[in-house]
Every structure is written in C-alpha cells, then in structure tokens.
Amino acid sequence: MSFEGDPGPVSAALRERLAPGGVLRAGINLSNFLLVSARSADGGPVGVSPDMAAAIAGCLGVALQLVPYASPALLADAAGRDEWDIGLIGAEPQRAETIAFTPAYAQIEATYLVPPGSPLTGIGAVDAPGVRIAVTGGTAYGLWLDRNIRRAEIVRTATMDETFADFRDRGLDALAGLRMRLLDDAKRLPGSRLLEGRFVAVQQAIGVARRADGLTDEAVAWLGRFVAAAATSGFVAERIRHHGVNGLSVA
C-alpha cells in the first residue's frame, strides 16, 4: 500500500534538515519485534517502522537509508552524534531531553509475567517492598518503571533474552515486557502467567535530535502532520495487517 496522505509542503531548508544531501537516515530499533518483524534478503529490517520511514522519504522526495540499532537505548544515545536524521522509537520523557518527538503513530501494551505459584494477582501489587522486577534496561517500558516504581527493586539486564534468563534463574518476582513477547516467554516457563491489564502502553513515535538550528520545531511539526495523515488514511493500520503483527495498534 502506498502512502496517500498529505503532510503538507516542505521548504528547501527543512528538507535539507531532515535529509541532508538528499538522503533520509532513519534510525531503526531492531529489538522491537512488533515494529521490525522480518529481514530482507540482504538482512535489512522489514516491518512497520521501516515502512513508516520509507513513506516519509517518499513524501520528502529523497532516498532512504535505514540505520539499524540493536536496542532503543543505543538508538537514543546516538541522537547527538549525527548518525540518523529521524529515529523511530518509543517516546519517553528521559529521551525527550535530547530528542523531540511527534505524537505516537502506534502503541504497544506492557505488562508483567510472574512465576509459578506467585502470590501477585494484579498490576498494582507488583510495586511492593521485597518484589524484584526483571526488565531490559533502556527500553521505553523500562524507563517508565524507572520513573514510577517506588517500592519494588528493578533488576536490569542488557537484552530481552538475558532478562528472561535472569528472571527464571534467579527466581525474580516479575518480568516486565511487551505483552506479545511475554506470551512467548510464558511458554518457556510452565506454570507462569501474565497479569491482567497493563502498566503502560508504550507510545511509538518519530523523533529528531534537538539542535540549535531553529528547525527542530518545524521538523517535528511536519513529521507530526505526516503521523496524523498516516493514521487517518489507514496507512498505519494497513501496514500492521500487512506484516501480520499482533499486539501493535494504531495510537
């Protein structure tokens, strides 16, 4: 499906800001399996977020270069190093210090997996003294926990596989993660269960690095109009259906 929305005109200065030299470099988080759901024949990322980047490049009339990162933390950390022009990751207040975000185009529920025999019965019960929560550091839902958990202990690891292993092998009390990933994790730990509800819906957005060039606000405004057009035209929903992604919804 081609993008049929109209985010409005782009000045020459703004096009150069977003795509220097006629190439849009789009930072892509490879660890989000809902947004990058497959690989191309040459190993490149395929999924909803690469499709969003391609549609933006099409609207700008420029070439596209996907810049992959193994985690959202690495993508966000690169904001000040001029490695990408737009970044497609979860919008979080900590990241907003260096990245200016559009409204979300999609959202993903995050909840907890608890081990067999756990006395925890609801989301609210997890933030309690003595409870240890396993989480992948630098993820959008992990950053939310950093801001909001007051009584439980947060145990961070570098990757989702390491986080699951830590949760299982150390007997931690809860595993925080995206619902669809936790459903798969539950199959690897018989008797474990997901808690009903969610502690946050991660907002997937498009960001640009904050710069003192006077064009950051203009860039975010234009990209925000693109996001609105992508949602209202049905482009985001169609891309989700096309890639067969469950657990990702239009924001």
PDB file of all heavy atoms in Angstrom, residues 146-174:
ATOM      1  N   ASP A 146      11.443   3.026  35.722  1.00  0.00           N
ATOM      2  CA  ASP A 146      12.409   3.857  36.446  1.00  0.00           C
ATOM      3  C   ASP A 146      11.736   5.082  37.062  1.00  0.00           C
ATOM      4  O   ASP A 146      12.092   5.508  38.167  1.00  0.00           O
ATOM      5  CB  ASP A 146      13.523   4.325  35.507  1.00  0.00           C
ATOM      6  CG  ASP A 146      14.455   3.201  35.083  1.00  0.00           C
ATOM      7  OD1 ASP A 146      14.468   2.151  35.764  1.00  0.00           O
ATOM      8  OD2 ASP A 146      15.156   3.377  34.074  1.00  0.00           O
ATOM      9  N   ARG A 147      10.782   5.639  36.349  1.00  0.00           N
ATOM     10  CA  ARG A 147      10.106   6.849  36.837  1.00  0.00           C
ATOM     11  C   ARG A 147       9.006   6.558  37.851  1.00  0.00           C
ATOM     12  O   ARG A 147       8.704   7.406  38.690  1.00  0.00           O
ATOM     13  CB  ARG A 147       9.471   7.622  35.668  1.00  0.00           C
ATOM     14  CG  ARG A 147      10.430   8.199  34.668  1.00  0.00           C
ATOM     15  CD  ARG A 147       9.736   9.259  33.803  1.00  0.00           C
ATOM     16  NE  ARG A 147       8.443   8.822  33.319  1.00  0.00           N
ATOM     17  CZ  ARG A 147       8.252   8.084  32.229  1.00  0.00           C
ATOM     18  NH1 ARG A 147       9.302   7.680  31.534  1.00  0.00           N
ATOM     19  NH2 ARG A 147       7.045   7.744  31.841  1.00  0.00           N
ATOM     20  N   ASN A 148       8.402   5.383  37.778  1.00  0.00           N
ATOM     21  CA  ASN A 148       7.169   5.169  38.523  1.00  0.00           C
ATOM     22  C   ASN A 148       7.232   4.133  39.643  1.00  0.00           C
ATOM     23  O   ASN A 148       6.386   4.166  40.542  1.00  0.00           O
ATOM     24  CB  ASN A 148       6.047   4.773  37.546  1.00  0.00           C
ATOM     25  CG  ASN A 148       5.630   5.926  36.649  1.00  0.00           C
ATOM     26  OD1 ASN A 148       4.837   6.777  37.036  1.00  0.00           O
ATOM     27  ND2 ASN A 148       6.182   5.959  35.436  1.00  0.00           N
ATOM     28  N   ILE A 149       8.174   3.208  39.592  1.00  0.00           N
ATOM     29  CA  ILE A 149       8.265   2.204  40.661  1.00  0.00           C
ATOM     30  C   ILE A 149       8.907   2.845  41.889  1.00  0.00           C
ATOM     31  O   ILE A 149       9.992   3.431  41.803  1.00  0.00           O
ATOM     32  CB  ILE A 149       9.070   0.976  40.189  1.00  0.00           C
ATOM     33  CG1 ILE A 149       8.296   0.221  39.108  1.00  0.00           C
ATOM     34  CG2 ILE A 149       9.401   0.068  41.358  1.00  0.00           C
ATOM     35  CD1 ILE A 149       6.969  -0.345  39.579  1.00  0.00           C
ATOM     36  N   ARG A 150       8.260   2.718  43.008  1.00  0.00           N
ATOM     37  CA  ARG A 150       8.722   3.379  44.239  1.00  0.00           C
ATOM     38  C   ARG A 150       9.205   2.408  45.305  1.00  0.00           C
ATOM     39  O   ARG A 150      10.082   2.742  46.103  1.00  0.00           O
ATOM     40  CB  ARG A 150       7.579   4.231  44.809  1.00  0.00           C
ATOM     41  CG  ARG A 150       7.160   5.387  43.900  1.00  0.00           C
ATOM     42  CD  ARG A 150       8.239   6.453  43.867  1.00  0.00           C
ATOM     43  NE  ARG A 150       7.882   7.546  42.978  1.00  0.00           N
ATOM     44  CZ  ARG A 150       8.282   7.672  41.723  1.00  0.00           C
ATOM     45  NH1 ARG A 150       9.056   6.730  41.198  1.00  0.00           N
ATOM     46  NH2 ARG A 150       7.906   8.700  40.982  1.00  0.00           N
ATOM     47  N   ARG A 151       8.623   1.199  45.376  1.00  0.00           N
ATOM     48  CA  ARG A 151       8.931   0.300  46.499  1.00  0.00           C
ATOM     49  C   ARG A 151       9.639  -0.991  46.061  1.00  0.00           C
ATOM     50  O   ARG A 151      10.456  -1.517  46.791  1.00  0.00           O
ATOM     51  CB  ARG A 151       7.633  -0.046  47.250  1.00  0.00           C
ATOM     52  CG  ARG A 151       7.008   1.178  47.934  1.00  0.00           C
ATOM     53  CD  ARG A 151       5.652   0.881  48.525  1.00  0.00           C
ATOM     54  NE  ARG A 151       4.655   0.617  47.487  1.00  0.00           N
ATOM     55  CZ  ARG A 151       4.000   1.566  46.828  1.00  0.00           C
ATOM     56  NH1 ARG A 151       4.232   2.843  47.102  1.00  0.00           N
ATOM     57  NH2 ARG A 151       3.103   1.268  45.915  1.00  0.00           N
ATOM     58  N   ALA A 152       9.327  -1.480  44.889  1.00  0.00           N
ATOM     59  CA  ALA A 152       9.972  -2.710  44.410  1.00  0.00           C
ATOM     60  C   ALA A 152      11.390  -2.415  43.923  1.00  0.00           C
ATOM     61  O   ALA A 152      11.766  -1.262  43.697  1.00  0.00           O
ATOM     62  CB  ALA A 152       9.142  -3.323  43.283  1.00  0.00           C
ATOM     63  N   GLU A 153      12.170  -3.471  43.735  1.00  0.00           N
ATOM     64  CA  GLU A 153      13.537  -3.355  43.216  1.00  0.00           C
ATOM     65  C   GLU A 153      13.528  -3.682  41.722  1.00  0.00           C
ATOM     66  O   GLU A 153      12.948  -4.685  41.307  1.00  0.00           O
ATOM     67  CB  GLU A 153      14.470  -4.314  43.943  1.00  0.00           C
ATOM     68  CG  GLU A 153      15.895  -4.315  43.399  1.00  0.00           C
ATOM     69  CD  GLU A 153      16.759  -5.398  44.002  1.00  0.00           C
ATOM     70  OE1 GLU A 153      16.289  -6.082  44.939  1.00  0.00           O
ATOM     71  OE2 GLU A 153      17.906  -5.590  43.521  1.00  0.00           O
ATOM     72  N   ILE A 154      14.168  -2.861  40.922  1.00  0.00           N
ATOM     73  CA  ILE A 154      14.266  -3.096  39.487  1.00  0.00           C
ATOM     74  C   ILE A 154      15.625  -3.724  39.191  1.00  0.00           C
ATOM     75  O   ILE A 154      16.667  -3.177  39.560  1.00  0.00           O
ATOM     76  CB  ILE A 154      14.104  -1.794  38.693  1.00  0.00           C
ATOM     77  CG1 ILE A 154      12.723  -1.173  38.969  1.00  0.00           C
ATOM     78  CG2 ILE A 154      14.272  -2.046  37.191  1.00  0.00           C
ATOM     79  CD1 ILE A 154      12.533   0.189  38.333  1.00  0.00           C
ATOM     80  N   VAL A 155      15.611  -4.887  38.514  1.00  0.00           N
ATOM     81  CA  VAL A 155      16.835  -5.607  38.171  1.00  0.00           C
ATOM     82  C   VAL A 155      16.992  -5.538  36.654  1.00  0.00           C
ATOM     83  O   VAL A 155      16.218  -6.143  35.910  1.00  0.00           O
ATOM     84  CB  VAL A 155      16.780  -7.072  38.639  1.00  0.00           C
ATOM     85  CG1 VAL A 155      18.081  -7.786  38.297  1.00  0.00           C
ATOM     86  CG2 VAL A 155      16.500  -7.135  40.145  1.00  0.00           C
ATOM     87  N   ARG A 156      18.000  -4.811  36.178  1.00  0.00           N
ATOM     88  CA  ARG A 156      18.155  -4.544  34.749  1.00  0.00           C
ATOM     89  C   ARG A 156      19.212  -5.444  34.111  1.00  0.00           C
ATOM     90  O   ARG A 156      20.238  -5.726  34.715  1.00  0.00           O
ATOM     91  CB  ARG A 156      18.542  -3.079  34.514  1.00  0.00           C
ATOM     92  CG  ARG A 156      17.541  -2.083  35.059  1.00  0.00           C
ATOM     93  CD  ARG A 156      18.088  -0.667  35.026  1.00  0.00           C
ATOM     94  NE  ARG A 156      17.204   0.282  35.692  1.00  0.00           N
ATOM     95  CZ  ARG A 156      17.186   0.487  36.998  1.00  0.00           C
ATOM     96  NH1 ARG A 156      18.010  -0.195  37.775  1.00  0.00           N
ATOM     97  NH2 ARG A 156      16.352   1.352  37.531  1.00  0.00           N
ATOM     98  N   THR A 157      18.930  -5.850  32.861  1.00  0.00           N
ATOM     99  CA  THR A 157      19.908  -6.557  32.050  1.00  0.00           C
ATOM    100  C   THR A 157      19.897  -5.942  30.653  1.00  0.00           C
ATOM    101  O   THR A 157      19.065  -5.087  30.338  1.00  0.00           O
ATOM    102  CB  THR A 157      19.596  -8.064  31.977  1.00  0.00           C
ATOM    103  OG1 THR A 157      18.199  -8.242  31.731  1.00  0.00           O
ATOM    104  CG2 THR A 157      19.963  -8.769  33.257  1.00  0.00           C
ATOM    105  N   ALA A 158      20.811  -6.400  29.792  1.00  0.00           N
ATOM    106  CA  ALA A 158      21.046  -5.704  28.527  1.00  0.00           C
ATOM    107  C   ALA A 158      20.103  -6.113  27.408  1.00  0.00           C
ATOM    108  O   ALA A 158      19.774  -5.296  26.544  1.00  0.00           O
ATOM    109  CB  ALA A 158      22.491  -5.917  28.081  1.00  0.00           C
ATOM    110  N   THR A 159      19.678  -7.382  27.364  1.00  0.00           N
ATOM    111  CA  THR A 159      18.833  -7.850  26.274  1.00  0.00           C
ATOM    112  C   THR A 159      17.617  -8.585  26.838  1.00  0.00           C
ATOM    113  O   THR A 159      17.612  -9.019  27.995  1.00  0.00           O
ATOM    114  CB  THR A 159      19.590  -8.814  25.345  1.00  0.00           C
ATOM    115  OG1 THR A 159      19.837 -10.057  26.035  1.00  0.00           O
ATOM    116  CG2 THR A 159      20.924  -8.214  24.890  1.00  0.00           C
ATOM    117  N   MET A 160      16.603  -8.777  25.995  1.00  0.00           N
ATOM    118  CA  MET A 160      15.390  -9.457  26.448  1.00  0.00           C
ATOM    119  C   MET A 160      15.662 -10.901  26.815  1.00  0.00           C
ATOM    120  O   MET A 160      15.097 -11.419  27.786  1.00  0.00           O
ATOM    121  CB  MET A 160      14.314  -9.364  25.368  1.00  0.00           C
ATOM    122  CG  MET A 160      13.790  -7.957  25.163  1.00  0.00           C
ATOM    123  SD  MET A 160      12.488  -7.885  23.911  1.00  0.00           S
ATOM    124  CE  MET A 160      12.205  -6.099  23.860  1.00  0.00           C
ATOM    125  N   ASP A 161      16.522 -11.571  26.061  1.00  0.00           N
ATOM    126  CA  ASP A 161      16.852 -12.954  26.396  1.00  0.00           C
ATOM    127  C   ASP A 161      17.565 -13.043  27.732  1.00  0.00           C
ATOM    128  O   ASP A 161      17.300 -13.949  28.540  1.00  0.00           O
ATOM    129  CB  ASP A 161      17.719 -13.572  25.296  1.00  0.00           C
ATOM    130  CG  ASP A 161      16.921 -13.872  24.032  1.00  0.00           C
ATOM    131  OD1 ASP A 161      15.686 -13.964  24.116  1.00  0.00           O
ATOM    132  OD2 ASP A 161      17.550 -14.002  22.958  1.00  0.00           O
ATOM    133  N   GLU A 162      18.481 -12.117  27.978  1.00  0.00           N
ATOM    134  CA  GLU A 162      19.187 -12.101  29.265  1.00  0.00           C
ATOM    135  C   GLU A 162      18.224 -11.791  30.406  1.00  0.00           C
ATOM    136  O   GLU A 162      18.351 -12.349  31.502  1.00  0.00           O
ATOM    137  CB  GLU A 162      20.302 -11.059  29.233  1.00  0.00           C
ATOM    138  CG  GLU A 162      21.470 -11.421  28.337  1.00  0.00           C
ATOM    139  CD  GLU A 162      22.481 -10.298  28.192  1.00  0.00           C
ATOM    140  OE1 GLU A 162      22.220  -9.192  28.724  1.00  0.00           O
ATOM    141  OE2 GLU A 162      23.527 -10.525  27.561  1.00  0.00           O
ATOM    142  N   THR A 163      17.261 -10.919  30.138  1.00  0.00           N
ATOM    143  CA  THR A 163      16.292 -10.556  31.177  1.00  0.00           C
ATOM    144  C   THR A 163      15.436 -11.752  31.548  1.00  0.00           C
ATOM    145  O   THR A 163      15.184 -12.014  32.732  1.00  0.00           O
ATOM    146  CB  THR A 163      15.403  -9.396  30.697  1.00  0.00           C
ATOM    147  OG1 THR A 163      16.238  -8.293  30.336  1.00  0.00           O
ATOM    148  CG2 THR A 163      14.465  -8.947  31.806  1.00  0.00           C
ATOM    149  N   PHE A 164      14.982 -12.499  30.555  1.00  0.00           N
ATOM    150  CA  PHE A 164      14.189 -13.695  30.853  1.00  0.00           C
ATOM    151  C   PHE A 164      15.024 -14.706  31.644  1.00  0.00           C
ATOM    152  O   PHE A 164      14.539 -15.298  32.625  1.00  0.00           O
ATOM    153  CB  PHE A 164      13.675 -14.349  29.568  1.00  0.00           C
ATOM    154  CG  PHE A 164      12.986 -15.657  29.815  1.00  0.00           C
ATOM    155  CD1 PHE A 164      11.694 -15.700  30.319  1.00  0.00           C
ATOM    156  CD2 PHE A 164      13.650 -16.863  29.601  1.00  0.00           C
ATOM    157  CE1 PHE A 164      11.065 -16.908  30.588  1.00  0.00           C
ATOM    158  CE2 PHE A 164      13.032 -18.077  29.859  1.00  0.00           C
ATOM    159  CZ  PHE A 164      11.734 -18.101  30.352  1.00  0.00           C
ATOM    160  N   ALA A 165      16.268 -14.913  31.231  1.00  0.00           N
ATOM    161  CA  ALA A 165      17.131 -15.860  31.941  1.00  0.00           C
ATOM    162  C   ALA A 165      17.341 -15.431  33.387  1.00  0.00           C
ATOM    163  O   ALA A 165      17.334 -16.265  34.303  1.00  0.00           O
ATOM    164  CB  ALA A 165      18.470 -15.995  31.217  1.00  0.00           C
ATOM    165  N   ASP A 166      17.523 -14.148  33.613  1.00  0.00           N
ATOM    166  CA  ASP A 166      17.703 -13.613  34.959  1.00  0.00           C
ATOM    167  C   ASP A 166      16.448 -13.857  35.801  1.00  0.00           C
ATOM    168  O   ASP A 166      16.519 -14.299  36.955  1.00  0.00           O
ATOM    169  CB  ASP A 166      18.000 -12.112  34.873  1.00  0.00           C
ATOM    170  CG  ASP A 166      18.947 -11.637  35.951  1.00  0.00           C
ATOM    171  OD1 ASP A 166      19.794 -12.433  36.395  1.00  0.00           O
ATOM    172  OD2 ASP A 166      18.848 -10.461  36.359  1.00  0.00           O
ATOM    173  N   PHE A 167      15.307 -13.557  35.212  1.00  0.00           N
ATOM    174  CA  PHE A 167      14.009 -13.767  35.880  1.00  0.00           C
ATOM    175  C   PHE A 167      13.834 -15.230  36.282  1.00  0.00           C
ATOM    176  O   PHE A 167      13.479 -15.539  37.434  1.00  0.00           O
ATOM    177  CB  PHE A 167      12.898 -13.316  34.926  1.00  0.00           C
ATOM    178  CG  PHE A 167      11.520 -13.766  35.294  1.00  0.00           C
ATOM    179  CD1 PHE A 167      10.862 -13.243  36.399  1.00  0.00           C
ATOM    180  CD2 PHE A 167      10.845 -14.704  34.510  1.00  0.00           C
ATOM    181  CE1 PHE A 167       9.580 -13.649  36.732  1.00  0.00           C
ATOM    182  CE2 PHE A 167       9.565 -15.114  34.825  1.00  0.00           C
ATOM    183  CZ  PHE A 167       8.924 -14.587  35.943  1.00  0.00           C
ATOM    184  N   ARG A 168      14.125 -16.127  35.361  1.00  0.00           N
ATOM    185  CA  ARG A 168      13.931 -17.569  35.618  1.00  0.00           C
ATOM    186  C   ARG A 168      14.974 -18.128  36.577  1.00  0.00           C
ATOM    187  O   ARG A 168      14.634 -18.797  37.560  1.00  0.00           O
ATOM    188  CB  ARG A 168      14.000 -18.310  34.282  1.00  0.00           C
ATOM    189  CG  ARG A 168      13.841 -19.824  34.362  1.00  0.00           C
ATOM    190  CD  ARG A 168      14.295 -20.457  33.055  1.00  0.00           C
ATOM    191  NE  ARG A 168      15.698 -20.110  32.760  1.00  0.00           N
ATOM    192  CZ  ARG A 168      16.208 -20.141  31.528  1.00  0.00           C
ATOM    193  NH1 ARG A 168      15.465 -20.456  30.496  1.00  0.00           N
ATOM    194  NH2 ARG A 168      17.490 -19.835  31.357  1.00  0.00           N
ATOM    195  N   ASP A 169      16.247 -17.815  36.318  1.00  0.00           N
ATOM    196  CA  ASP A 169      17.320 -18.479  37.060  1.00  0.00           C
ATOM    197  C   ASP A 169      17.518 -17.912  38.458  1.00  0.00           C
ATOM    198  O   ASP A 169      17.955 -18.634  39.371  1.00  0.00           O
ATOM    199  CB  ASP A 169      18.625 -18.388  36.277  1.00  0.00           C
ATOM    200  CG  ASP A 169      18.539 -19.082  34.919  1.00  0.00           C
ATOM    201  OD1 ASP A 169      17.628 -19.907  34.739  1.00  0.00           O
ATOM    202  OD2 ASP A 169      19.366 -18.766  34.041  1.00  0.00           O
ATOM    203  N   ARG A 170      17.218 -16.623  38.637  1.00  0.00           N
ATOM    204  CA  ARG A 170      17.397 -16.012  39.955  1.00  0.00           C
ATOM    205  C   ARG A 170      16.112 -16.000  40.769  1.00  0.00           C
ATOM    206  O   ARG A 170      16.107 -15.530  41.908  1.00  0.00           O
ATOM    207  CB  ARG A 170      17.913 -14.579  39.800  1.00  0.00           C
ATOM    208  CG  ARG A 170      19.306 -14.479  39.212  1.00  0.00           C
ATOM    209  CD  ARG A 170      19.732 -13.029  39.065  1.00  0.00           C
ATOM    210  NE  ARG A 170      19.705 -12.307  40.341  1.00  0.00           N
ATOM    211  CZ  ARG A 170      19.882 -10.990  40.458  1.00  0.00           C
ATOM    212  NH1 ARG A 170      20.104 -10.263  39.369  1.00  0.00           N
ATOM    213  NH2 ARG A 170      19.842 -10.415  41.639  1.00  0.00           N
ATOM    214  N   GLY A 171      15.028 -16.506  40.196  1.00  0.00           N
ATOM    215  CA  GLY A 171      13.768 -16.554  40.927  1.00  0.00           C
ATOM    216  C   GLY A 171      13.203 -15.180  41.229  1.00  0.00           C
ATOM    217  O   GLY A 171      12.675 -14.946  42.324  1.00  0.00           O
ATOM    218  N   LEU A 172      13.309 -14.266  40.266  1.00  0.00           N
ATOM    219  CA  LEU A 172      12.765 -12.928  40.465  1.00  0.00           C
ATOM    220  C   LEU A 172      11.244 -12.978  40.451  1.00  0.00           C
ATOM    221  O   LEU A 172      10.630 -13.941  39.987  1.00  0.00           O
ATOM    222  CB  LEU A 172      13.295 -11.968  39.400  1.00  0.00           C
ATOM    223  CG  LEU A 172      14.826 -11.855  39.328  1.00  0.00           C
ATOM    224  CD1 LEU A 172      15.243 -10.799  38.312  1.00  0.00           C
ATOM    225  CD2 LEU A 172      15.424 -11.536  40.695  1.00  0.00           C
ATOM    226  N   ASP A 173      10.616 -11.937  40.969  1.00  0.00           N
ATOM    227  CA  ASP A 173       9.175 -11.975  41.237  1.00  0.00           C
ATOM    228  C   ASP A 173       8.304 -11.569  40.048  1.00  0.00           C
ATOM    229  O   ASP A 173       7.131 -11.944  39.993  1.00  0.00           O
ATOM    230  CB  ASP A 173       8.862 -11.052  42.420  1.00  0.00           C
ATOM    231  CG  ASP A 173       9.655 -11.435  43.651  1.00  0.00           C
ATOM    232  OD1 ASP A 173       9.331 -12.470  44.250  1.00  0.00           O
ATOM    233  OD2 ASP A 173      10.617 -10.717  43.998  1.00  0.00           O
ATOM    234  N   ALA A 174       8.849 -10.793  39.116  1.00  0.00           N
ATOM    235  CA  ALA A 174       8.065 -10.356  37.964  1.00  0.00           C
ATOM    236  C   ALA A 174       9.001 -10.035  36.811  1.00  0.00           C
ATOM    237  O   ALA A 174      10.117  -9.556  37.018  1.00  0.00           O
ATOM    238  CB  ALA A 174       7.218  -9.133  38.308  1.00  0.00           C
TER     239      ALA A 174
END
